[in-house]
Amino acid sequence: MSSRRMTIATGSLLTASFSAVMIFSFSAGADDEGPMSGKGGKAVDKAPAGVELTTLLPEKIEVDNSSQETAITATVKNGGTKDSGAIRLLVVGFDGLSVKSVEGCAEIAEKDLPEGSNSGFACAIDNLAAGKSKSYAVDATFDLKKEGKICLPVQDADGTKTFWQQGPVPFGANNPSPNAPATPLLLGTDNSPVTPGSDKAGGNKSGGKELPKTGPADRILPLGAVGAALISAGAAGLWWTQRRPQRSGS
């Protein structure tokens, strides 16, 4: 009798242990965001001593072909040896990529958006400790008939300095599949727009003027005529600053 009870108890423990392993494995898989990349990013204004701010975007996203919805994870990281202090991360969409919401962040008013962008959110961060990162869930839509870009600037709390800017960097596919349930898009790839049942669209893919991309020889994203006037060798990175007086005066 006692032997039978011991067998049942042992079996129950093994079942519980197996279930715990399965649950843990599933949770770990659910939290796996896939490879992340800083492609299209560059340092702009000098960060405080010991602070090294960068951002990461997923190397691949998927767009639902019927709803045009997609999910993107935006991550800001402090790879330095000292805490960052108060900073903010901006998430801005361009062309076919429209940012609909960013968890825990405030929407940027239309009048304050950078020139050429269609949407954006500002995420205030009280402090990012050395060696730590913070990720944000971004809900967006992507019109596969257009190219689409995203931009992640990291600034001080009042926007007077831009320490890092990733983008505007494109997501896209060289050979989209409009009749499939979803289209995978790769970071750093210009989208080749298509329409269902037809070949690639001709003409100007971007649907407008070419936007600057970050790189060794590229400038920081301009913001209106005032921003463009400020972007020079001595004023790089102030593309957001000149919007603040307009907000305070309204």
Side-chain angles (χ1 to χ4, degrees), residues 39-240:
K39 182 180 292 186
K42 65 181 293 186
V44 187
D45 291 316
K46 186 176 178 60
V51 177
E52 184 181 333
L53 298 168
T54 56
T55 57
L56 297 169
L57 286 164
E59 291 184 357
K60 180 174 132 178
I61 62 173
E62 286 200 348
V63 177
D64 186 292
N65 285 341
S66 58
S67 66
Q68 298 187 338
E69 294 178 351
T70 186
I72 303 170
T73 299
T75 299
V76 57
K77 180 180 179 180
N78 180 8
T81 57
K82 294 186 178 180
D83 293 0
S84 69
I87 56 173
R88 66 181 184 179
L89 170 71
L90 307 181
V91 183
V92 186
F94 294 82
D95 301 330
L97 193 158
S98 298
V99 181
K100 298 303 179 183
S101 69
V102 181
E103 185 179 9
C105 304
E107 185 172 8
I108 300 170
E110 184 177 355
K111 67 182 180 66
D112 295 324
L113 288 171
E115 183 181 9
S117 66
N118 56 49
S119 52
F121 285 76
C123 309
I125 302 171
D126 292 335
N127 182 60
L128 192 59
K132 298 297 183 180
S133 63
K134 186 173 178 62
S135 296
Y136 294 89
V138 180
D139 289 327
T141 59
F142 197 110
D143 185 349
L144 293 170
K145 299 182 183 69
K146 302 177 182 178
E147 290 186 338
K149 301 180 181 73
I150 190 169
C151 188
L152 301 182
V154 182
Q155 304 177 328
D156 58 1
D158 58 5
T160 58
K161 291 184 178 180
T162 298
F163 301 126
W164 172 267
Q165 181 173 308
Q166 185 175 8
V169 61
F171 274 106
N174 292 324
N175 186 24
S177 304
N179 298 318
T183 296
L185 301 180
L186 300 178
L187 182 68
T189 302
D190 289 326
N191 194 45
S192 297
V194 298
T195 55
S198 69
D199 294 329
K200 293 180 182 180
N204 183 0
K205 297 190 297 183
S206 63
K209 62 183 180 180
E210 183 179 353
L211 294 173
K213 301 174 184 177
T214 51
D218 294 321
R219 61 183 183 176
I220 299 305
L221 177 69
L223 203 163
V226 175
L230 281 174
I231 295 172
S232 62
L238 299 185
W239 62 277
W240 193 265

Side-chain angles (χ1 to χ4, degrees), residues 8-22:
I8 293 173
T10 303
S12 300
L13 284 172
L14 287 173
T15 302
S17 299
F18 178 75
S19 299
V21 170
M22 290 297 290

